[in-house]
Amino acid sequence: MKKLYLYVVGLILIMVQFVNAQVIYSPNKVTTLTFKVTDKGEMFYSLKYKNKNVIKESKLGLELLDKFPLTTEFLVENFDTITVNETWTPVWGEVKQIRNHYKELMVNLIQPMIKHRRMKIRFRLYDDGLGFRYEFPAQTEVTYFTITEEKTEFALTGNHKTFWLPGDYEANEYEYNVSKLSEVNALKALGVNEIFAKTVIGKNYVQTPLMMKTAEGLYINIHEAAQVNYPAMNLKVDTLNFVLTSTLVPDAYGNKAYIQTPAVSPWRTVIVSDKATDILASKIILNLNEPCKFEDVSWIKPIKYVGIWWEMHVRTALWSYSGLYNIKLDQVDWNNVIPHGLHGATTERTKRYIDFAAEHGFDAVLVEGWNVGWEDWFGNWKEEVFDFVTPYPDFDVAEIQRYAKSKGVKMIMHHETSASVTNYERRIDTAFRFMKQYGYDAVKTGYVGRIIPRGEYHDGQWMSNHYVRVVDKAAKYKIMVNAHEPTRPTGLCRTYPNWLACEAARGNEYNAWSHGNLPEHETILPFTRLMGGPMDYTPGIFEIKLDHWIHGKTEQVNTTLTKQLALYVTLYSPLQMAADYPEAYENYLDAFQFIKDVAVDWDDTKILEAEPGDYVTIARKAKGTENWFIGGITDENARESNISLSFLKPKVKYVATIYKDAADAHYKNNPKAYQIINETVDSNSKLKVKLAEGGGYAISLKPLKK
Amino acid sequence: MKKLYLYVVGLILIMVQFVNAQVIYSPNKVTTLTFKVTDKGEMFYSLKYKNKNVIKESKLGLELLDKFPLTTEFLVENFDTITVNETWTPVWGEVKQIRNHYKELMVNLIQPMIKHRRMKIRFRLYDDGLGFRYEFPAQTEVTYFTITEEKTEFALTGNHKTFWLPGDYEANEYEYNVSKLSEVNALKALGVNEIFAKTVIGKNYVQTPLMMKTAEGLYINIHEAAQVNYPAMNLKVDTLNFVLTSTLVPDAYGNKAYIQTPAVSPWRTVIVSDKATDILASKIILNLNEPCKFEDVSWIKPIKYVGIWWEMHVRTALWSYSGLYNIKLDQVDWNNVIPHGLHGATTERTKRYIDFAAEHGFDAVLVEGWNVGWEDWFGNWKEEVFDFVTPYPDFDVAEIQRYAKSKGVKMIMHHETSASVTNYERRIDTAFRFMKQYGYDAVKTGYVGRIIPRGEYHDGQWMSNHYVRVVDKAAKYKIMVNAHEPTRPTGLCRTYPNWLACEAARGNEYNAWSHGNLPEHETILPFTRLMGGPMDYTPGIFEIKLDHWIHGKTEQVNTTLTKQLALYVTLYSPLQMAADYPEAYENYLDAFQFIKDVAVDWDDTKILEAEPGDYVTIARKAKGTENWFIGGITDENARESNISLSFLKPKVKYVATIYKDAADAHYKNNPKAYQIINETVDSNSKLKVKLAEGGGYAISLKPLKK
């Protein structure tokens, strides 16, 4: 009897243990996820890669306004597991097809003491990492609630090397910091003057995507996927114990997210590999996003463009038309305003760009500063800055439409909102109708400044909804979007493929008017910002030293000329600008040929070499062709890139045109020294290319015509 | 020599005194304004009425964000005075023409030490009071700035009797408090549960319009005029010294107003008289507003209406269609939802109202609850509550349009925003187009709940701009507006005469589901809320005891039936509802005749008797006719009204139909006991009418047909 009793007790203990914990393995058993609920009803998960700890036991949960938290008193009702192995075809992308292969663990949780309140946590375990999210099913007792904080932990195994941006509610155009986790000090961001709207969270806060490297050589990337109707996540770093804890961007009341069930959080992602190249090749974030929302995507096309833009950053031209200040939109008679003569967006200059685009095969021309309001657009927290439909007197929209059409070139609209989002939302339908009336089918939006509604931040829930709302509305007009100064992307371009690109990081423009971007900057971007989606970095600056344009100007682009070429391949985007003046390109037409040739949409991608902060080399196969393009970049150190061309079609000869740094090139002293070499290669070829300090190279490969 | 020296010094002193102070008198020297700047450069004003102090020496000025304040270091550059005597014709109103007769003192101020920053204060002195405002001219050094507080003082002469509402950033539907200034305690507002969105400022804060009576029998009203692009003003009461100081409604950052020069503050108004009737007759607030902004006003018409509304307040019908909860706008298939059967806004019931309106000569029918979203519209701080264009399945918009048109009746649209203003602004053009498509030319808007953008308040600068933006946009569609739950009016209906009325105070609806409005309530409203403009109070409830509709319902309207009639005259509005059920009116067709007859637009108005909190008797002459209508009301005390009809056209006989309380009437015990008497009267007649406790009377006067 006693024996039976012990047996029963043992069985119950085993059962309790069984229902409250679960271990799953990724499809090829590379990664392992463990989930458990403790006796107190707290939830923990951990992640291993090849049997090594990546995330140690880490807490999960959320705190609510005026309600019992979603952190404790949970029981597991049951676990569901499935394995999914599917492929899907992106509208545009780095590869033709994307495989989505994971093991899913759905944990159905209940708080028996809190009116049987239910929550789910859905884990998707891939060979190269993990995604998980909170799910809030509709229940009688759980309809509307407010999240005051998300308490998701990522307990790391050590004091990793980390590539981090200061935690901030709205600014993401910082330089990257490279340090140990223990050395994170985000307060240095307070002294960054070139970013106008920033709200630094505190000393130990960092942004995602957060890239790390362990002492053992594991690469770990933490970010999120599908940030919809939810604020962005920053991470608080415990600099002693190396535990990262989520913190969400608040609203005016300090609340984080207003939830109506059924709802889900964004996916929290951990990408991991012992090879840096695998991090760049990972498709976890795209896979975790919802499929394309649109039936008809025939109107969505990748774009290579030029535009009236760099001259304003270099300051040979201005966005504004006049020396007026303190403008009220409806009270200026623009035809009687005396222009200052430096306005960039003139009909004449636009035609110059249209001619240039037509001659060199670009799809489109962007023009900034075309519409009234730029005289005092900035820094006044002003609501009625732009109306998005009134051109300056020297910008003839109808004539430009006619001329561009006659040349087979598209125009790209510019909507700088000055972060006055209420004003933009009021006027957006009128603005989109104006665009279609004049033949524009793509818009570059901008959000420079402090947000109106005052109290909201660029990365909060309300603004996150705004960005999606714009893209969704744009789709109704068949308009493509390139958003500058939004929250950083989380793969939503899968769901909304008209969202071609975002800025949301420190772009090439900083080289024009600040100390610029360090040579390592572009080797970090693919591991951080670009994990979430394409960036409109605007590469292609040939006149590296800006005193070429303005005598005495000390700024320069911190790369060699051929590194600028390489960026078209290493910084993936279906929207790429050739950002320099036409006059700059006309002086280097041989090097310019690469920009003319390079594709913006791809059937395949091979990450050949990569080390964050040091170098990146990528090969891509142009959509629907046998042409390949290679880009290789380095940081401030010279290096030799050794690559095999084994990805080429066997037994086919290719002409390789190699654009590389000259032997004496150096980004500081001799940035424009380049060589162009033609070679015949095949899939057995190996190439060695020397990169100068701050240098890079680009190769175009075309099958030899017989 | 010494003599000359003294002479020069004396002259300088005189000059200094001259340039830094000024006294002006109103056109008939009834009021006196004194303004001065002290040696420290501080600004003071004071106001006398018939040589008695009304406002003692009181400070002026504003505090700014990160800038030297506009409170001190001022010098007077010069004074300008003019006298204006003009008349203007309102689009609709209490009188046919309005006289605007004042002495203006413009004070041009300069802060020599603050880069010669300039500010102006413009005073307009009337025989019945004062208006003044701050003006911020455009200057190179003064373009954009932020007001953190306005420090306008009103130093009163004693511990006046005061009719006050608790100071609040958004709620104005409180009951009035009547107390000495020293007894103001606004914290009692914290316990008011029937108002959902309220933000009480603190113990000693009150709202405007603030009505006071001095021990000497002076009546003083403090409010503002033309609140445009500026938050509402509350007043902090110094309960020891009886100084009131302005405090403005903040935004999420605690800032009060974002200013771009040139700009002006609203007018601060002090209306004063030794006769209470003069306060009600004052046109200062309208006069201080800008003239009508529209060229064409032919489409603006006063409206008398009925509607599907009271049944929802009494609860025999519901705004909602079904028992659903937790709705997402675009995810409900309404045609497959099971209705709960209590939906008020059905096609059938609407036709009943159209028939009733047509039969009894009403202009229009309002229908609330016609559009999807009412199932969970309230209390969740939800952004996407309504779309303003999707009717419930049982409300056939096209059929109702056809039917209403066939009967010569207009429909009034209802746009409840649930205070989700961002959502409304996004959808408003579509909503207005929908209205015009279906023949609606008036809209009742509503702002119940906490404001989105979160961080803004109903009475802040951003929302003040919203209300005006809606009215201005509505005008472009030739739509008239009746705003419920906006900030309290400040006479803007002069500038935007399509803004027919507002709620913005405790309306008749509170009688349906709270302890109701005290019998004195309607005697205070004309001295407070109505000083700023017409109110949609929705009078005309005949079934005073609500257990008539629902057995066991204990609420009642706290008036007699004939007091409800009187309100059509005593509570001026060009938009008047007959708020009860058609079925209620059909039981009392003789009394209903007054509501059918009474005008909603007037050529003349005579305030016959008035004492705030006690009684009001007003006579008005209907537009373009010789018909007069009189309304008289009392508080909880019975009284006898003694009026002379000397305002009637001499030598003309009139038929007076007198609707009055029966001898045994009492608002509590016998509220529906009334008498209707016909008499023949002329301009020599005097009338005595007895009013029951909580009672009132109404008289229609028509020239006797020969």
Side-chain angles (χ1 to χ4, degrees):
Chain A
M1 191 62 190
K2 195 173 173 183
K3 212 169 175 179
L4 179 63
Y5 173 74
L6 284 173
Y7 175 74
V8 169
V9 168
L11 190 69
I12 289 170
L13 284 174
I14 287 164
M15 283 174 67
V16 167
Q17 206 165 356
F18 172 73
V19 298
N20 279 332
Q22 185 81 304
V23 181
I24 62 166
Y25 302 92
S26 66
N28 294 307
K29 300 205 164 35
V30 183
T31 60
T32 311
L33 169 80
T34 304
F35 174 85
K36 73 168 189 190
V37 170
T38 65
D39 292 351
K40 289 183 182 171
E42 295 177 331
M43 303 159 291
F44 288 87
Y45 78 105
S46 59
L47 177 69
K48 290 184 182 187
Y49 173 82
K50 293 184 180 171
N51 251 333
K52 281 178 268 186
N53 279 330
V54 177
I55 307 291
K56 297 190 296 182
E57 209 160 77
S58 299
K59 226 183 230 183
L60 295 166
L62 304 114
E63 292 171 351
L64 308 183
L65 183 69
D66 301 334
K67 284 194 162 70
F68 192 84
L70 294 166
T71 54
T72 185
E73 299 291 350
F74 276 104
L75 284 183
V76 174
E77 272 203 311
N78 64 289
F79 293 106
D80 280 327
T81 60
I82 52 164
T83 301
V84 170
N85 188 358
E86 62 185 10
T87 56
W88 57 279
T89 305
V91 175
W92 42 259
E94 296 179 86
V95 293
K96 196 172 188 174
Q97 285 208 309
I98 293 176
R99 191 173 182 205
N100 187 26
H101 192 192
Y102 61 86
K103 176 92 170 203
E104 176 171 297
L105 170 66
M106 174 66 107
V107 186
N108 293 295
L109 294 151
I110 187 166
Q111 287 175 308
M113 296 166 64
I114 319 301
K115 297 184 178 172
H116 291 78
R117 198 166 62 176
R118 283 176 164 78
M119 181 173 79
K120 298 163 185 266
I121 303 179
R122 190 187 296 265
F123 294 92
R124 287 189 180 164
L125 190 62
Y126 294 81
D127 285 327
D128 59 350
L130 170 69
F132 62 91
R133 69 179 183 190
Y134 303 94
E135 301 193 3
F136 313 108
Q139 305 152 71
T140 311
E141 296 290 341
V142 186
T143 52
Y144 296 91
F145 61 92
T146 301
I147 295 172
T148 52
E149 192 57 285
E150 179 181 323
K151 290 290 193 184
T152 300
E153 290 181 356
F154 303 88
L156 302 169
T157 58
N159 192 8
H160 305 335
K161 181 181 181 183
T162 308
F163 303 82
W164 58 274
L165 295 179
D168 198 294
Y169 292 154
E170 48 191 345
N172 47 37
E173 299 190 1
Y174 292 106
E175 296 176 274
Y176 288 99
N177 298 276
V178 185
S179 79
K180 297 278 186 193
L181 278 169
S182 61
E183 294 158 3
V184 164
N185 179 357
L187 294 181
K188 62 171 75 168
L190 295 172
V192 175
N193 293 322
E194 69 255 28
I195 299 174
F196 176 66
K198 59 178 195 287
T199 306
V200 179
I201 307 174
K203 188 178 176 193
N204 293 336
Y205 292 86
V206 297
Q207 299 189 27
T208 76
L210 184 69
M211 187 65 212
M212 292 172 287
K213 185 180 183 182
T214 73
E216 297 77 30
L218 267 192
Y219 297 87
I220 305 170
N221 183 284
I222 297 180
H223 189 36
E224 59 181 306
Q227 184 204 331
V228 173
N229 197 14
Y230 205 85
M233 174 177 75
N234 284 264
L235 295 170
K236 182 171 191 184
V237 182
D238 177 339
T239 53
L240 291 175
N241 302 302
F242 318 124
V243 177
L244 312 177
T245 307
S246 60
T247 186
L248 305 176
V249 175
D251 74 350
Y253 287 84
N255 294 328
K256 303 302 173 76
Y258 300 87
I259 303 294
Q260 179 184 1
T261 61
V264 296
S265 77
W267 297 91
R268 280 61 188 95
T269 60
V270 182
I271 301 172
V272 56
S273 179
D274 48 17
K275 292 202 295 258
T277 52
D278 284 352
I279 303 292
L280 300 188
S282 176
K283 294 290 172 281
I284 285 184
I285 288 174
L286 282 181
N287 274 326
L288 290 172
N289 273 274
E290 295 297 311
C292 176
K293 210 187 148 185
F294 312 132
E295 301 253 315
D296 173 18
V297 293
S298 61
W299 51 279
I300 301 173
K301 310 274 189 206
I303 298 171
K304 196 158 48 173
Y305 73 106
V306 293
I308 299 181
W309 179 78
W310 187 244
E311 42 262 73
M312 275 87 93
H313 285 277
V314 173
R315 306 291 283 179
T316 63
L318 300 177
W319 280 277
S320 64
Y321 171 77
S322 74
L324 291 180
Y325 187 72
N326 190 15
I327 287 169
K328 298 188 180 182
L329 255 193
D330 52 352
Q331 290 174 21
V332 181
D333 174 8
W334 286 100
N335 288 315
N336 286 319
V337 167
I338 298 165
H340 53 40
L342 285 170
H343 185 218
T346 65
T347 305
E348 192 188 348
R349 184 80 182 150
T350 304
K351 287 185 175 179
R352 165 77 164 106
Y353 272 86
I354 292 169
D355 290 339
F356 182 79
E359 183 183 348
H360 296 289
F362 286 83
D363 303 303
V365 173
L366 166 75
V367 182
E368 294 201 359
W370 69 277
N371 60 323
V372 301
W374 287 92
E375 278 73 5
D376 62 351
W377 71 287
F378 179 76
N380 298 314
W381 223 2
K382 176 181 173 178
E383 188 156 3
E384 307 266 319
V385 183
F386 296 110
D387 69 6
F388 312 102
V389 295
T390 307
Y392 282 122
D394 57 351
F395 188 82
D396 185 339
V397 184
E399 169 60 14
I400 286 165
Q401 176 191 28
R402 185 199 65 74
Y403 193 78
K405 195 172 178 191
S406 77
K407 298 276 181 170
V409 170
K410 288 278 188 182
M411 297 299 300
I412 299 178
M413 177 51 73
H414 185 227
H415 288 169
E416 173 56 52
T417 67
S418 189
S420 176
V421 181
T422 47
N423 180 53
Y424 190 42
E425 291 201 342
R426 272 175 222 131
R427 298 174 188 270
I428 193 167
D429 273 294
T430 305
F432 281 170
R433 279 194 293 268
F434 179 88
M435 281 180 60
K436 297 311 277 191
Q437 180 186 346
Y438 290 105
Y440 291 71
D441 55 15
V443 62
K444 174 180 176 179
T445 58
Y447 296 91
V448 172
R450 301 182 74 183
I451 296 290
I452 303 176
R454 299 184 186 97
E456 298 290 350
Y457 297 106
H458 281 74
D459 294 357
Q461 183 187 28
W462 195 88
M463 280 302 297
S464 298
N465 284 335
H466 167 78
Y467 305 123
V468 173
R469 194 181 295 124
V470 169
V471 168
D472 203 26
K473 184 180 281 291
K476 293 187 173 66
Y477 291 88
K478 300 196 174 177
I479 286 173
M480 293 174 281
V481 178
N482 167 23
H484 279 231
E485 302 90 21
T487 191
R488 74 284 182 283
T490 57
L492 285 166
C493 56
R494 176 180 177 187
T495 312
Y496 302 94
N498 65 325
W499 201 348
L500 288 187
C502 293
E503 187 184 37
R506 193 175 179 94
N508 223 357
E509 67 189 21
Y510 277 80
N511 288 311
W513 35 259
S514 75
H515 61 268
N517 302 335
L518 292 178
E520 68 179 10
H521 184 66
E522 296 94 345
T523 71
I524 301 172
L525 280 174
F527 289 95
T528 50
R529 162 65 183 78
L530 269 71
M531 295 300 293
M535 177 173 176
D536 185 32
Y537 186 72
T538 65
I541 302 302
F542 278 12
E543 289 299 354
I544 303 287
K545 301 273 191 182
L546 299 181
D547 62 358
H548 179 90
W549 304 109
I550 295 189
H551 179 68
K553 197 161 167 58
T554 56
E555 289 86 355
Q556 75 156 84
V557 178
N558 293 315
T559 71
T560 63
L561 188 149
T562 50
K563 183 171 174 180
Q564 289 289 313
L565 298 182
L567 297 177
Y568 288 90
V569 184
T570 60
L571 295 176
Y572 166 68
S573 178
L575 179 87
Q576 289 282 20
M577 185 178 203
D580 214 336
Y581 298 67
E583 293 78 2
Y585 293 128
E586 284 162 352
N587 287 336
Y588 309 92
L589 284 173
D590 56 351
F592 187 50
Q593 189 63 43
F594 182 81
I595 301 180
K596 293 170 65 171
D597 291 343
V598 70
V600 285
D601 198 11
W602 311 98
D603 275 341
D604 202 3
T605 285
K606 304 288 180 191
I607 314 293
L608 304 178
E609 302 176 304
E611 181 64 26
D614 292 343
Y615 56 84
V616 172
T617 310
I618 298 177
R620 304 190 196 269
K621 182 164 167 286
K623 194 88 175 175
T625 76
E626 288 301 326
N627 302 336
W628 285 79
F629 295 86
I630 300 174
I633 61 169
T634 183
D635 60 4
E636 70 282 6
N637 301 307
R639 75 179 292 264
E640 187 179 79
S641 174
N642 288 289
I643 58 173
S644 156
L645 302 185
S646 59
F647 51 81
L648 294 178
K649 200 170 192 177
K651 297 174 191 164
V652 176
K653 295 288 181 195
Y654 291 76
V655 179
T657 306
I658 305 172
Y659 305 76
K660 63 178 187 176
D661 297 317
D664 60 347
H666 186 292
Y667 81 99
K668 270 285 177 208
N669 310 323
N670 196 19
K672 292 195 294 188
Y674 63 85
Q675 280 184 292
I676 302 174
I677 297 165
N678 283 302
E679 285 184 29
T680 302
V681 297
D682 62 22
S683 63
N684 295 317
S685 304
K686 296 195 187 322
L687 291 179
K688 285 188 190 186
V689 189
K690 288 217 169 170
L691 292 79
E693 291 87 348
Y697 69 97
I699 304 176
S700 67
L701 293 147
K702 297 183 189 177
L704 196 63
K705 280 176 191 146
K706 284 167 190 169
Chain B
M1 190 67 190
K2 194 172 170 186
K3 210 167 175 181
L4 180 64
Y5 174 73
L6 284 173
Y7 175 77
V8 169
V9 169
L11 192 69
I12 289 170
L13 284 174
I14 289 162
M15 282 174 67
V16 168
Q17 206 166 357
F18 173 73
V19 299
N20 279 331
Q22 185 81 304
V23 180
I24 61 167
Y25 302 92
S26 64
N28 293 307
K29 300 205 163 38
V30 183
T31 61
T32 311
L33 169 79
T34 304
F35 174 85
K36 74 168 185 190
V37 171
T38 64
D39 293 351
K40 290 182 182 170
E42 296 177 330
M43 302 158 292
F44 289 86
Y45 77 104
S46 60
L47 177 69
K48 290 183 182 187
Y49 173 81
K50 293 184 181 172
N51 252 332
K52 280 177 266 181
N53 279 330
V54 177
I55 306 291
K56 296 191 296 181
E57 210 161 77
S58 298
K59 225 183 233 184
L60 296 166
L62 305 114
E63 292 171 353
L64 308 184
L65 183 69
D66 300 334
K67 284 195 164 69
F68 192 86
L70 294 167
T71 53
T72 184
E73 299 292 348
F74 277 104
L75 284 183
V76 174
E77 272 202 309
N78 65 290
F79 295 105
D80 280 327
T81 59
I82 51 165
T83 301
V84 171
N85 187 359
E86 61 185 10
T87 56
W88 56 279
T89 306
V91 175
W92 42 259
E94 297 178 85
V95 292
K96 194 173 189 174
Q97 285 208 308
I98 293 176
R99 191 173 181 204
N100 187 26
H101 192 193
Y102 61 86
K103 175 93 168 202
E104 175 170 296
L105 170 65
M106 173 67 105
V107 186
N108 293 294
L109 294 152
I110 187 166
Q111 288 174 308
M113 296 166 67
I114 319 301
K115 297 184 180 172
H116 291 80
R117 198 166 63 176
R118 282 177 165 77
M119 181 172 80
K120 297 163 186 268
I121 303 179
R122 191 188 294 264
F123 294 92
R124 288 190 179 163
L125 190 61
Y126 294 80
D127 284 327
D128 59 349
L130 170 68
F132 62 92
R133 70 179 182 190
Y134 302 94
E135 301 194 2
F136 313 107
Q139 305 153 71
T140 312
E141 295 290 340
V142 186
T143 52
Y144 296 91
F145 61 92
T146 302
I147 295 172
T148 52
E149 191 56 285
E150 179 181 323
K151 291 289 193 183
T152 301
E153 290 181 357
F154 303 86
L156 302 168
T157 58
N159 192 9
H160 304 336
K161 181 181 183 184
T162 308
F163 303 82
W164 57 275
L165 296 179
D168 197 295
Y169 292 154
E170 48 191 345
N172 48 37
E173 298 190 1
Y174 292 106
E175 296 177 273
Y176 287 99
N177 299 276
V178 185
S179 79
K180 296 279 184 191
L181 279 168
S182 61
E183 295 159 1
V184 164
N185 179 359
L187 294 181
K188 64 170 74 168
L190 295 171
V192 176
N193 292 321
E194 69 256 28
I195 299 174
F196 176 66
K198 61 178 193 286
T199 306
V200 179
I201 306 174
K203 186 177 176 194
N204 293 335
Y205 293 86
V206 297
Q207 300 189 29
T208 76
L210 185 70
M211 188 64 212
M212 293 173 287
K213 185 179 182 182
T214 74
E216 297 76 31
L218 268 192
Y219 297 87
I220 305 170
N221 184 284
I222 296 180
H223 188 37
E224 59 182 305
Q227 186 204 332
V228 173
N229 196 14
Y230 205 86
M233 175 176 75
N234 284 264
L235 296 169
K236 181 168 190 187
V237 182
D238 176 339
T239 52
L240 290 176
N241 302 301
F242 319 124
V243 177
L244 312 178
T245 307
S246 60
T247 186
L248 305 176
V249 175
D251 74 352
Y253 287 84
N255 294 328
K256 303 301 173 76
Y258 299 87
I259 303 293
Q260 179 184 1
T261 60
V264 296
S265 77
W267 296 91
R268 280 60 188 94
T269 59
V270 182
I271 300 172
V272 56
S273 178
D274 48 17
K275 292 202 295 258
T277 52
D278 285 349
I279 303 293
L280 300 188
S282 177
K283 293 290 173 282
I284 284 184
I285 287 175
L286 283 180
N287 274 326
L288 291 171
N289 273 273
E290 295 296 311
C292 176
K293 211 187 148 186
F294 313 132
E295 300 254 315
D296 172 19
V297 294
S298 62
W299 51 278
I300 299 172
K301 310 274 188 206
I303 299 171
K304 195 157 51 173
Y305 72 106
V306 293
I308 299 181
W309 180 78
W310 187 245
E311 41 261 74
M312 276 86 94
H313 286 276
V314 172
R315 308 292 283 179
T316 62
L318 299 177
W319 280 277
S320 64
Y321 172 76
S322 74
L324 291 180
Y325 188 69
N326 191 14
I327 287 170
K328 298 189 180 181
L329 255 193
D330 52 351
Q331 291 173 22
V332 181
D333 174 7
W334 285 101
N335 288 314
N336 286 318
V337 167
I338 298 165
H340 53 41
L342 285 171
H343 185 218
T346 65
T347 305
E348 190 188 350
R349 182 81 180 150
T350 304
K351 286 185 176 180
R352 165 77 164 103
Y353 272 85
I354 292 169
D355 290 339
F356 182 80
E359 183 183 349
H360 296 289
F362 286 84
D363 303 303
V365 173
L366 165 76
V367 181
E368 293 201 2
W370 68 278
N371 60 323
V372 301
W374 288 93
E375 277 73 6
D376 62 353
W377 71 286
F378 180 75
N380 298 312
W381 224 0
K382 176 180 175 179
E383 188 156 4
E384 307 266 317
V385 183
F386 296 109
D387 70 6
F388 312 102
V389 294
T390 308
Y392 282 120
D394 56 353
F395 188 81
D396 185 338
V397 184
E399 169 60 14
I400 286 165
Q401 177 191 26
R402 186 199 64 75
Y403 193 78
K405 196 172 175 189
S406 77
K407 297 277 181 169
V409 170
K410 289 278 186 182
M411 297 300 299
I412 299 177
M413 176 53 73
H414 185 227
H415 288 170
E416 174 56 53
T417 67
S418 188
S420 175
V421 181
T422 48
N423 180 54
Y424 189 44
E425 290 200 343
R426 272 176 221 128
R427 299 175 187 270
I428 192 167
D429 273 296
T430 305
F432 281 169
R433 280 195 293 268
F434 179 89
M435 280 179 62
K436 297 310 279 194
Q437 180 187 347
Y438 290 105
Y440 290 71
D441 55 14
V443 63
K444 174 180 176 178
T445 58
Y447 297 90
V448 172
R450 300 181 75 182
I451 296 291
I452 302 177
R454 298 183 185 98
E456 298 290 350
Y457 297 105
H458 282 73
D459 294 357
Q461 183 187 28
W462 194 88
M463 280 302 296
S464 297
N465 284 335
H466 167 78
Y467 305 123
V468 173
R469 195 181 294 123
V470 169
V471 169
D472 204 25
K473 185 182 280 292
K476 293 187 174 63
Y477 291 89
K478 300 194 175 178
I479 286 172
M480 294 173 279
V481 178
N482 167 22
H484 278 230
E485 301 90 24
T487 189
R488 75 285 182 283
T490 58
L492 285 165
C493 55
R494 176 181 176 185
T495 312
Y496 303 94
N498 64 324
W499 200 347
L500 288 187
C502 293
E503 187 184 38
R506 193 175 179 96
N508 223 356
E509 66 190 22
Y510 278 80
N511 288 310
W513 36 259
S514 76
H515 60 270
N517 303 335
L518 293 178
E520 68 181 9
H521 184 66
E522 295 94 345
T523 72
I524 300 173
L525 280 173
F527 289 94
T528 52
R529 162 64 184 79
L530 269 70
M531 294 301 292
M535 178 173 177
D536 185 32
Y537 186 75
T538 65
I541 302 301
F542 279 12
E543 288 299 353
I544 302 288
K545 301 271 190 183
L546 300 182
D547 63 356
H548 178 90
W549 304 109
I550 296 188
H551 178 68
K553 196 160 167 57
T554 55
E555 289 85 356
Q556 75 157 82
V557 178
N558 293 314
T559 72
T560 63
L561 188 149
T562 49
K563 182 171 175 180
Q564 289 289 314
L565 298 182
L567 297 177
Y568 288 89
V569 184
T570 61
L571 294 175
Y572 167 67
S573 177
L575 178 87
Q576 291 280 22
M577 185 177 202
D580 214 335
Y581 298 66
E583 294 78 2
Y585 294 127
E586 285 162 351
N587 287 335
Y588 310 92
L589 283 174
D590 55 351
F592 186 51
Q593 189 63 44
F594 182 81
I595 300 180
K596 293 169 64 169
D597 291 343
V598 70
V600 285
D601 198 12
W602 311 97
D603 275 341
D604 201 4
T605 285
K606 303 289 180 190
I607 314 295
L608 303 179
E609 303 176 303
E611 181 64 26
D614 291 344
Y615 56 84
V616 173
T617 310
I618 298 177
R620 303 190 197 271
K621 180 165 168 286
K623 195 90 176 169
T625 76
E626 288 299 325
N627 301 337
W628 285 78
F629 295 86
I630 300 173
I633 61 170
T634 184
D635 59 4
E636 69 282 6
N637 301 308
R639 77 180 289 267
E640 187 180 80
S641 174
N642 288 289
I643 57 173
S644 155
L645 302 185
S646 58
F647 50 82
L648 293 178
K649 201 169 187 175
K651 297 175 190 164
V652 176
K653 295 286 179 194
Y654 291 77
V655 180
T657 307
I658 303 171
Y659 305 75
K660 63 177 186 175
D661 297 318
D664 58 349
H666 186 292
Y667 81 99
K668 271 285 175 208
N669 310 324
N670 196 17
K672 293 194 293 186
Y674 63 87
Q675 279 185 295
I676 302 174
I677 299 165
N678 284 304
E679 286 183 29
T680 302
V681 297
D682 61 25
S683 63
N684 295 317
S685 303
K686 297 194 186 324
L687 291 179
K688 284 187 191 187
V689 188
K690 288 216 169 172
L691 292 79
E693 291 85 349
Y697 69 96
I699 304 175
S700 66
L701 294 146
K702 296 183 190 177
L704 197 64
K705 282 178 189 143
K706 283 166 191 169

